[in-house]
Amino acid sequence: MDSPPAGQLVCVGTGMTLASHLTPLSRSHIETADVVFSLMSHGLVEKWLAEMHPDVRSLQPYYESGPDRLESYRRMIETMLVEVRRGLRVVGAFYGHPGVFAYVPHKAIELARREGFHAHMEPGVSAEDCLIADLGIDPGRVGYQQYEATQFMIFERRVDPAAYLVLWQIGVAGDLTSSRFETDRERLEVLVDVLKSHYPGDHEVVLYEALTLPVGKPRIDRLPLEDLPQARIHLYTTLIVPPGQALVRNQAVVERLSGIAKQRGQAREDTHGTPIAAIEGDSR
């Protein structure tokens, strides 16, 4: 039986905040690699990586190679795979979680495996993890739905206004070309119109930006939905739409489950046996 090729690829996440979120296992992969490729949100993070490994090569310049983001991604992937094919242990270090809203790590791993190389992903602290902590959101309390902003706009979705709605990458909301790195007021107005079919215009929403340096505070700006087109939006801004209505109990299902409990001698005269999430959701 032929042994697999010597080269390997590991895509790791460095987390969102500089030097705070890197796991020991991901650090070990970086320190023992033959070459490290990085795609970071801040230049200081690349300097920090350079303290862990003598050969750190930035993928950031590929964004400047042309207006088509997909073409930039293809070049990043090929650059890493060239070194894998040479038999080297390659690490791709990406900010946040390498598998969350990240085309390059997923595709690079897929192609490396297809060519017979060992390739895998190590998780990291994502912007979503920071969002949940900074805003005090428990996804299990009333529910939690999330989409990429442009995808949310151009496809029909069944939005649940009783749950949290998180829209990522609103900084490029409405871009159909994969060539823009910013949105504009007109496109944001389209996004607002889509959301207003589920929420009133004065519904309070949140603009969030995770902390990338270990100083300062995350951005948490609250504003009416209808004011979104005038807001300051960056490429990394996330939109959170809190629940706009209470959960509606499905009484038929409740009665059916209660009947099962009674048959098994588990009847309750109070809500002590009811899941906490169901109690909180019903009490809004």
Side-chain angles (χ1 to χ4, degrees):
M1 181 177 178
D2 295 336
S3 59
Q8 67 175 27
L9 172 66
V10 182
C11 292
V12 306
T14 62
M16 298 303 298
T17 305
L18 174 65
S20 301
H21 295 159
L22 185 66
T23 67
L25 183 55
S26 291
R27 176 184 285 272
S28 176
H29 281 299
I30 292 171
E31 293 174 340
T32 59
D34 293 316
V35 58
V36 177
F37 291 95
S38 69
L39 188 61
M40 295 296 144
S41 60
H42 201 288
L44 286 177
V45 183
E46 292 190 341
K47 293 181 180 178
W48 168 61
L49 283 174
E51 296 176 0
M52 286 182 265
H53 196 281
D55 189 1
V56 177
R57 308 176 193 178
S58 177
L59 296 172
Q60 197 70 29
Y62 286 100
Y63 278 130
E64 303 168 5
S65 62
D68 187 340
R69 285 200 302 275
L70 290 178
E71 179 59 28
S72 298
Y73 295 156
R74 283 191 284 268
R75 293 182 181 181
M76 294 178 193
I77 293 166
E78 182 61 19
T79 297
M80 291 192 292
L81 291 185
V82 163
E83 302 302 329
V84 173
R85 295 178 190 123
R86 290 180 56 209
L88 300 184
R89 293 171 299 171
V90 177
V91 165
F94 300 85
Y95 67 89
H97 190 304
V100 177
F101 288 91
Y103 177 86
V104 173
H106 281 295
K107 195 65 178 179
I109 290 173
E110 174 191 333
L111 293 177
R113 288 175 175 172
R114 188 182 301 172
E115 295 181 21
F117 297 101
H118 172 78
H120 76 277
M121 180 180 292
E122 292 293 340
V125 177
S126 69
E128 180 188 16
D129 299 311
C130 297
L131 181 157
I132 288 171
D134 291 335
L135 272 68
I137 294 174
D138 181 354
R141 192 176 72 84
V142 294
Y144 183 90
Q145 54 204 321
Q146 56 179 321
Y147 305 99
E148 194 275 336
T150 301
Q151 185 188 85
F152 176 81
M153 294 167 69
I154 65 176
F155 291 99
E156 295 184 3
R157 295 288 189 174
R158 292 185 178 181
V159 177
D160 180 1
Y164 283 93
L165 173 64
V166 178
L167 296 181
W168 300 96
Q169 299 180 335
I170 65 165
V172 289
D175 174 32
L176 303 180
T177 66
S178 297
S179 63
R180 296 175 60 89
F181 289 90
E182 61 182 13
T183 188
D184 53 36
R185 179 169 177 167
E186 287 183 318
R187 288 177 172 83
L188 289 173
E189 287 175 349
V190 174
L191 174 58
V192 168
D193 287 342
V194 172
L195 288 169
K196 283 171 72 173
S197 63
H198 307 283
Y199 306 90
D202 61 356
H203 184 65
E204 183 180 82
V205 299
V206 181
L207 294 176
Y208 174 78
E209 295 170 8
L211 197 64
T212 56
L213 298 177
V215 292
K217 297 180 179 180
R219 178 188 181 187
I220 303 175
D221 289 345
R222 303 178 187 276
L223 68 159
L225 171 61
E226 58 196 1
D227 290 351
L228 181 63
Q230 292 79 44
R232 176 172 50 93
I233 305 293
H234 298 122
L235 186 62
Y236 44 85
T237 305
T238 301
L239 176 68
I240 299 95
V241 185
Q245 65 183 47
L247 291 171
V248 178
R249 183 184 290 266
N250 187 329
Q251 194 59 36
V253 172
V254 172
E255 292 176 358
R256 183 178 177 184
L257 293 173
S258 297
I260 294 172
K262 289 178 181 179
Q263 291 175 2
R264 297 179 180 178
Q266 299 171 339
R268 296 286 192 277
E269 293 182 357
D270 52 33
T271 58
H272 293 169
T274 305
I276 292 176
I279 295 173
E280 293 186 354
D282 192 52
S283 63
R284 283 177 52 81

